[in-house]
Amino acid sequence: MTPENNTFSTTRIELPVGPRLQALDANRRVDITVDLDRDVVSKFQATGPGWRERMEAVLSTAKLA
């Protein structure tokens, strides 16, 4: 969002899903939009293919107060 016009646009990109994710129950997954620091995403992307699954694994093991 830009402060000048207070508008934004989004683009949805469909990516192929690996067999592991296809096997998951469809009711378990929810599409969301989240803003993350660029450096956090870059660190996961730098680990190569499967970075989304690794990010999900980290988030699923996070201890929330």
Side-chain angles (χ1 to χ4, degrees):
M1 182 166 25
T2 60
E4 298 81 27
N5 59 16
N6 292 328
T7 62
F8 65 94
S9 64
T10 60
T11 302
R12 184 173 177 89
I13 300 171
E14 296 294 330
L15 299 172
V17 178
R20 180 183 154 273
L21 291 180
Q22 288 175 343
L24 290 175
D25 179 7
N27 292 327
R28 248 186 91 206
R29 302 192 67 80
V30 177
D31 287 337
I32 65 165
T33 300
V34 62
D35 294 323
L36 300 170
D37 289 339
R38 185 179 306 272
D39 64 326
V40 171
V41 176
S42 294
K43 288 176 185 177
F44 276 97
Q45 287 175 328
T47 65
W51 67 269
R52 288 175 182 82
E53 290 83 2
R54 286 187 289 282
M55 182 180 280
E56 182 179 358
V58 169
L59 291 170
S60 69
T61 59
K63 299 198 185 297
L64 303 176

